[in-house]
């Protein structure tokens, strides 16, 4: 019984030291991780609305909405982040729309889909299918054979989020 208590105490101390170490590492790396994620979002925003000179960010439910301005500070459209649950995990999507609500571009910011199959959602052949569409005709975007779950999740997330954005900006 005495040895059992000794082993339990040793294991407790090891776990306590490990937890403290992980907490310290997290507190040191978390700001850099957040900054890198924000840079990826801005880079993605510039892909979906290339003529953007500036933007203003606001919350829209669980998503982020960016009002996009040109060099003359005139609103030229919007961009928003939305998420979908794909085959292997969450898919983070940036969508750019013009002032009329038609899609200018779609970019996959982050995903954990299967390499070679689900990761095909990043291909321009799939993403270009969204350009020029409104929320009424997004279902016309073709899914990707072999990555149907992932591509269908992206299509559904874009459609639902676009409807929410259109309601909020009008």
């Amino acid at each position: 019984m005495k040895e059992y208590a000794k082993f339990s105490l040793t294991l407790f101390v090891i776990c306590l030291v490990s937890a403290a170490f992980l907490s310290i590492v997290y507190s040191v790396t978390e700001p850099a991780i957040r900054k890198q994620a924000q840079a990826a979002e801005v880079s993605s925003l510039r892909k979906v609305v290339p003529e953007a000179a500036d933007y203003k960010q606001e919350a829209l439910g669980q998503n982020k909405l960016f009002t996009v301005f040109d060099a003359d500070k005139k609103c030229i459209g919007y961009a928003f982040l939305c998420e979908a649950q794909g085959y292997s995990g969450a898919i983070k999507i940036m969508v750019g729309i013009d002032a009329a609500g038609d899609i200018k571009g779609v970019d996959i910011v982050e995903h954990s889909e299967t390499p070679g199959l689900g990761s095909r959602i990043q291909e321009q052949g799939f993403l270009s299918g969204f350009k020029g569409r409104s929320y009424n005709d997004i279902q016309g975007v073709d899914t990707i054979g072999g990555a149907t779950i992932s591509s269908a999740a992206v299509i559904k997330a874009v459609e639902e989020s676009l409807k929410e954005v259109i309601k909020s900006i009008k």
Side-chain angles (χ1 to χ4, degrees), residues 1-13:
M1 185 70 170
K2 192 175 181 180
E3 265 188 48
Y4 179 73
K6 182 179 171 184
F7 287 136
S8 296
L9 182 61
T10 303
L11 183 59
F12 174 77
V13 170

Side-chain angles (χ1 to χ4, degrees), residues 32-163:
I33 292 169
R34 189 178 318 131
K35 191 174 184 178
Q36 187 176 13
Q38 190 174 19
E41 288 176 4
V42 170
S43 171
S44 188
L45 181 138
R46 299 217 186 273
K47 285 180 187 175
V48 298
V49 186
E51 59 276 0
D54 197 12
Y55 63 90
K56 180 180 82 174
Q57 178 183 329
E58 57 190 271
L60 178 64
Q62 295 180 358
N63 301 324
K64 291 181 184 177
L65 176 66
F66 302 88
T67 304
V68 183
F69 304 96
D70 64 9
D72 298 327
K73 301 292 182 197
K74 179 183 169 202
C75 177
I76 57 172
Y78 303 89
F80 59 91
L81 273 174
C82 58
E83 282 197 21
Q85 188 62 36
Y87 181 76
S88 298
I91 303 169
K92 198 172 182 181
I93 309 155
M94 178 72 75
V95 181
I97 60 174
D98 60 20
D102 294 332
I103 297 176
K104 294 177 67 69
V106 175
D107 186 47
I108 305 300
V109 179
E110 182 181 306
H111 74 87
S112 58
E113 297 302 284
T114 308
L117 288 175
S119 65
R120 292 181 56 205
I121 58 174
Q122 294 180 294
E123 293 176 357
Q124 284 307 309
F126 172 65
L127 297 176
S128 65
F130 289 95
K131 282 189 181 177
R133 294 185 183 268
S134 68
Y135 70 89
N136 294 327
D137 65 345
I138 286 186
Q139 287 302 319
V141 176
D142 292 330
T143 57
I144 301 170
T148 307
I149 295 172
S150 303
S151 56
V154 170
I155 293 167
K156 183 177 180 185
V158 170
E159 179 183 31
E160 290 175 357
S161 297
L162 183 56
K163 285 178 183 176

